[in-house]
Amino acid sequence: MSITREQLISMYRTMLTIRRFEERAVSEWAQGTIPGLIHPYIGQEAVATGVCAHLTPDDRIVSNHRGHGHCIAKGADVRRMMAEIYGKKTGYCHGKGGSMHIADFSIGMLGANGIVCAGLPIAVGAALATKLDGGDRVVVVFFGDGATNEGAFHESLNLASIWKLPIIFACENNLYGANTLIWDVMPLANLSERAAAYAMPQAAVDGNDIVAVYEVARDAVAAVRSGGGPRFLEFRTYRWRHHFEGGYFPDLRPKHEIEAWKEKCPIKRFEQKLLADGVLNYAEQETINSEILSRVEDAVRYATESSYPDPADALEGVYSE
């Protein structure tokens, strides 16, 4: 099945929106206008975009600490996202959640999570609810390579397989858990091999190739939607920035490695392909970029002009003490 011109350009817009949003968030944080921490998704844009391209608003996703890209790819409002990162009342969580806890149930975004691997049990629960409700909704949970070393990872895959739940485990293997190289802590060439222990179909692809991501996700979503049970997808990719902005420990990854991966930029690769194939021309490219920059600028303006939460509302939305 070929990808239409409209789908290609839509994915390009999504990837570029994620990149420009994250670049601006990094810049704002550096200027001291954003409180707390942010974990940029720069370099991994193809994964969220290629997977979410196959999801409907009724499908659900669960994210992790590096979740801005997943939110945008699922259709979140960048104004409310930016306001939440700023800690403003107009944000998705009224300024109480911050960067790592953005959620929008109306579009099937069940939330990001600051605890490594904590999103997987939540997603399994959502998938069980989906199966009990009937229909053909799909749940996708995004997580990093470090999460595969947690006990909750194995428990989640085991239950999903036993109950044949409609869930896709999307592992964004960016090779490092903070500064720890993946092969220093696990003896596998591909993390997807771990799914075999749970009799779960799996695949590993280049996470910086949007077409490859799109195609493997298309097949996985179709299989899960038709009742085929869970799937495990590993996307080999790389984050350009440090584990998080304002890190209190140094980035120990080799500089030459970082630069080599920047040469594999998923957006640049896709952009060159679109231009070479005549899907996009330079004028259209500039127009799209300008439109996205304007959207991001508007989001920053919206956030800065919004009010902070009222201290009197501190317990509003709190359901346990």
Side-chain angles (χ1 to χ4, degrees):
M1 184 184 299
S2 61
I3 310 175
T4 68
R5 179 178 185 274
E6 289 72 22
Q7 289 171 325
L8 290 169
I9 293 179
S10 176
M11 288 195 291
Y12 176 68
R13 282 182 176 275
T14 299
M15 291 173 71
L16 198 57
T17 299
I18 296 171
R19 174 68 60 86
R20 298 295 180 247
F21 182 93
E22 293 290 64
E23 289 173 340
R24 187 58 183 272
V26 167
S27 174
E28 292 298 311
W29 187 93
Q31 295 177 51
T33 55
I34 290 178
L37 304 174
I38 58 173
H39 297 71
Y41 196 69
I42 297 173
Q44 302 181 198
E45 296 89 352
V47 180
T49 300
V51 173
C52 290
H54 301 286
L55 304 181
T56 71
D58 287 335
D59 292 324
R60 297 162 175 171
I61 69 169
V62 179
S63 182
N64 62 357
H65 55 280
R66 203 174 307 283
H68 301 165
H70 309 136
C71 289
I72 292 172
K74 194 62 169 68
D77 182 348
V78 294
R79 300 174 91 214
R80 295 181 68 190
M81 284 182 62
M82 192 66 79
E84 184 60 39
I85 294 171
Y86 265 76
K88 297 300 185 70
K89 192 171 184 176
T90 54
Y92 267 115
C93 300
H94 308 296
K96 299 177 181 179
S99 170
M100 290 187 283
H101 298 95
I102 296 173
D104 184 351
F105 291 2
S106 71
I107 60 171
M109 172 54 182
L110 301 188
N113 202 303
I115 300 174
V116 174
C117 196
L120 276 77
I122 295 171
V124 168
L128 176 59
T130 294
K131 183 172 183 176
L132 294 174
D133 286 343
D136 63 354
R137 286 187 299 182
V138 172
V139 176
V140 177
V141 56
F142 294 96
F143 54 96
D145 45 277
T148 68
N149 282 330
E150 297 286 338
F153 167 83
H154 299 279
E155 295 166 351
S156 296
L157 266 67
N158 190 54
L159 282 178
S161 185
I162 290 171
W163 293 338
K164 299 190 185 309
L165 299 181
I167 183 171
I168 293 173
F169 295 93
C171 178
E172 296 181 283
N173 180 5
N174 61 23
L175 310 185
Y176 286 87
N179 277 325
T180 302
L181 182 63
I182 181 175
W183 291 294
D184 287 342
V185 293
M186 62 183 76
L188 296 172
N190 295 303
L191 295 182
S192 55
E193 296 174 37
R194 289 192 157 178
Y198 305 101
M200 189 179 299
Q202 72 270 180
V205 299
D206 180 355
N208 280 21
D209 181 342
I210 182 64
V211 175
V213 173
Y214 179 91
E215 291 177 344
V216 75
R218 176 192 61 205
D219 296 342
V221 170
V224 173
R225 204 180 293 284
S226 63
R231 295 292 189 274
F232 187 100
L233 303 179
E234 177 189 355
F235 302 101
R236 187 70 62 83
T237 184
Y238 200 85
R239 56 176 165 80
W240 289 15
R241 306 287 300 181
H242 192 15
H243 179 60
F244 58 86
E245 296 302 300
Y248 43 79
F249 54 87
D251 189 343
L252 300 181
R253 297 175 302 165
K255 294 293 187 289
H256 67 83
E257 179 183 272
I258 298 173
E259 293 306 313
W261 274 93
K262 286 183 177 181
E263 290 299 313
K264 303 175 186 177
C265 174
I267 297 177
K268 182 178 179 181
R269 288 172 65 180
F270 192 38
E271 193 173 79
Q272 291 174 339
K273 176 177 173 55
L274 295 181
L275 291 169
D277 293 346
V279 175
L280 200 64
N281 59 47
Y282 287 106
E284 291 170 326
Q285 174 195 348
E286 285 299 318
T287 297
I288 290 172
N289 186 52
S290 295
E291 291 173 351
I292 291 171
L293 286 172
S294 293
R295 282 185 64 201
V296 172
E297 182 63 34
D298 174 67
V300 172
R301 186 182 307 110
Y302 178 76
T304 56
E305 292 176 355
S306 295
S307 302
Y308 285 104
D310 191 317
D313 297 333
L315 295 181
E316 184 178 300
V318 178
Y319 301 101
S320 178
E321 296 184 38

